[in-house]
Amino acid sequence: MRRSEDVLGAHREQAGSLVAPDRLRFDFMHFQPVTREELDRIDGLSTSRSPANTPVTTDVRSTQEAIAAGAMALFGEKYGDQVRVVSVPGFSMELCGGTHVTATGDIGFFVIVAEGGVAAGVRRIEA
């Protein structure tokens, strides 16, 4: 299994996001610009998930149980006792309150169109 942490390092943490039907924005902690090669590798990781059409699961767990199981949480974000956990088995598990697809194939074609800095130590990918 390859994930963005395999490309950028384990220090990277989500700092915010926007997911819309026609675009996405993903902010993350990283201390230097992401190279074209790294962007291509991340883009390939994302694109490789769509054809597999892996089911996306959601469930509600206690916050402590979800984080202990490895779910990614936003640093500094306040969570209640119960959280919604969205998972792509074998690839990603995150705490999230948004609406999601039922399988990775629903995402369709994905391409990173921009990368840049938005604050000290925070980078943004737009796709």
Side-chain angles (χ1 to χ4, degrees):
M1 171 177 61
R2 305 240 347 131
R3 299 176 304 208
S4 63
E5 70 185 35
D6 297 331
V7 177
L8 300 178
H11 68 277
R12 58 97 190 101
E13 241 178 57
Q14 182 175 343
S17 66
L18 166 77
V19 179
D22 61 339
R23 64 189 173 97
L24 74 81
R25 180 186 74 224
F26 185 78
D27 298 343
F28 58 99
M29 306 296 289
H30 193 56
F31 308 107
Q32 62 191 28
V34 180
T35 67
R36 181 74 252 165
E37 178 184 318
E38 290 167 330
L39 287 172
D40 289 345
R41 289 171 57 199
I42 293 167
D43 191 45
L45 289 170
S46 300
T47 302
S48 71
R49 293 295 157 176
S50 190
N53 205 30
T54 305
V56 175
T57 62
T58 60
D59 63 328
V60 176
R61 300 182 186 183
S62 75
T63 303
Q64 290 180 341
E65 176 189 356
I67 292 172
M72 295 185 107
L74 289 177
F75 175 75
E77 188 73 23
K78 303 288 187 223
Y79 296 100
D81 293 336
Q82 298 285 303
V83 292
R84 183 170 180 252
V85 180
V86 177
S87 302
V88 177
F91 187 70
S92 174
M93 179 173 32
E94 301 182 27
L95 306 184
C96 190
T99 302
H100 289 270
V101 298
T102 58
T104 57
D106 297 342
I107 297 167
F109 186 68
F110 178 93
V111 64
I112 296 172
V113 296
E115 186 278 340
V118 294
V122 179
R123 307 299 297 177
R124 173 173 289 165
I125 287 177
E126 296 180 63

